[in-house]
Amino acid sequence: DVKVTQSSRYLVKRTGEKVFLECVQDMDHENMFWYRQDPGLGLRLIYFSYDVKMKEKGDIPEGYSVSREKKERFSLILESASTNQTSMYLCASSATDRGLPEAFFGQGTRLTVV
Amino acid sequence: ILNVEQSPQSLHVQEGDSTNFTCSFPSSNFYALHWYRWETAKSPEALFVMTLNGDEKKKGRISATLNTKEGYSYLYIKGSQPEDSATYLCASKTSYDKVIFGPGTSLSVIP
């Protein structure tokens, strides 16, 4: 079974902290994605990566950065957490093109910034 | 439409009822439409990938249809069960590699 694992299920951080959300997949997928989901809105793409050390901005990259040093790991970094970054964060991976024809998702990290 | 819309936002049905909900998406540059089921505390799980106008897909009691000319897809659940309770997400992919998710329809099936 494909497994996409996010390091934390729930996280509470203070405003201004640097926050790392980790995602690991075990299927040797080239493509990995970070989304956030907020009530009444669809999943919104923050960043994606189609290869090691490669990254591309999604629809809402402001306030975030990413790191992909190894194929299986894709990290989302909140440089200075703010309350408007309180959200559910989902990581996904896909074997095929960057357009996400079919993705496997992690279980989500619910981040609260206080 | 420029966004992907889903209706209704939420739905409560009795066990055994059949139900359906809608995903509306931009019909221009259409490439594929995906349905996902997202149960609480679990990962979203792919249900269907649909690409051709008139496509119908079926998985057990769940089925979906696709109309690419008018830009909508219906998801049907026959004889809803409590384990069908979840948020159902659709995502539209264009030929330009753009993927847009809808906000989801939250289904609660009451035993």
Side-chain angles (χ1 to χ4, degrees), chain B residues 71-105:
Chain B
Y72 64 82
S73 175
Y74 293 136
L75 190 81
Y76 300 91
I77 303 179
K78 188 176 174 184
S80 303
Q81 299 297 307
E83 59 265 29
D84 296 327
S85 297
T87 295
Y88 291 83
L89 295 169
C90 69
S92 167
K93 179 176 183 291
T94 69
S95 52
Y96 300 130
D97 267 4
K98 179 82 175 169
V99 175
I100 307 171
F101 276 85
T105 291

Side-chain angles (χ1 to χ4, degrees), chain A residues 7-8 11-22 63-66 75-82 85 89 109 111-113:
Chain A
S7 53
S8 304
L11 214 49
V12 179
K13 294 291 181 181
R14 293 192 184 281
T15 301
E17 273 193 80
K18 190 168 185 174
V19 182
F20 292 86
L21 301 184
E22 305 286 350
Y64 303 94
S65 62
V66 290
S75 304
L76 180 71
I77 304 156
L78 286 66
E79 298 291 342
S80 176
S82 64
Q85 292 177 308
Y89 290 87
T109 296
L111 172 68
T112 303
V113 182

Side-chain angles (χ1 to χ4, degrees), chain B residues 31-45:
Chain B
Y31 185 82
L33 192 283
H34 300 261
W35 280 102
Y36 290 88
R37 175 170 60 202
W38 190 5
E39 294 177 68
T40 303
K42 294 188 178 178
S43 310
E45 169 198 351

Side-chain angles (χ1 to χ4, degrees), chain A residues 87-98:
Chain A
S87 188
M88 169 69 87
Y89 290 87
L90 276 172
C91 172
S93 76
S94 169
T96 46
D97 72 358
R98 294 183 250 168

Side-chain angles (χ1 to χ4, degrees), chain B residues 1-55:
Chain B
I1 55 169
L2 297 177
N3 289 318
V4 175
E5 297 166 0
Q6 290 187 248
S7 62
Q9 187 176 348
S10 64
L11 200 50
H12 299 262
V13 301
Q14 292 288 333
E15 182 176 352
D17 285 352
S18 293
T19 186
N20 66 85
F21 25 93
T22 308
C23 172
S24 302
F25 55 87
S27 53
S28 60
N29 303 308
F30 173 83
Y31 185 82
L33 192 283
H34 300 261
W35 280 102
Y36 290 88
R37 175 170 60 202
W38 190 5
E39 294 177 68
T40 303
K42 294 188 178 178
S43 310
E45 169 198 351
L47 282 174
F48 303 116
V49 179
M50 307 173 79
T51 55
L52 298 174
N53 186 43
D55 247 358

Side-chain angles (χ1 to χ4, degrees), chain A:
Chain A
D1 273 356
V2 173
K3 223 173 175 175
V4 179
T5 306
Q6 294 181 229
S7 53
S8 304
R9 187 87 179 90
Y10 298 96
L11 214 49
V12 179
K13 294 291 181 181
R14 293 192 184 281
T15 301
E17 273 193 80
K18 190 168 185 174
V19 182
F20 292 86
L21 301 184
E22 305 286 350
C23 176
V24 177
Q25 51 97 359
D26 64 1
M27 280 302 289
D28 203 35
H29 285 169
E30 283 78 23
N31 308 289
M32 296 187 76
F33 309 82
W34 274 107
Y35 289 89
R36 64 178 278 178
Q37 200 226 14
D38 300 290
L41 300 173
L43 292 181
R44 293 181 292 165
L45 182 64
I46 305 171
Y47 266 97
F48 65 98
S49 167
Y50 52 92
D51 205 349
V52 176
K53 295 193 190 294
M54 306 299 283
K55 60 186 179 187
E56 284 202 24
K57 292 180 181 179
D59 299 318
I60 49 164
E62 295 78 22
Y64 303 94
S65 62
V66 290
S67 170
R68 187 132 182 238
E69 296 297 317
K70 293 185 178 180
K71 192 175 187 181
E72 66 270 18
R73 187 180 294 270
F74 191 36
S75 304
L76 180 71
I77 304 156
L78 286 66
E79 298 291 342
S80 176
S82 64
T83 53
N84 62 13
Q85 292 177 308
T86 291
S87 188
M88 169 69 87
Y89 290 87
L90 276 172
C91 172
S93 76
S94 169
T96 46
D97 72 358
R98 294 183 250 168
L100 202 76
E102 184 171 326
F104 296 90
F105 286 88
Q107 78 278 24
T109 296
R110 186 164 292 283
L111 172 68
T112 303
V113 182
V114 298

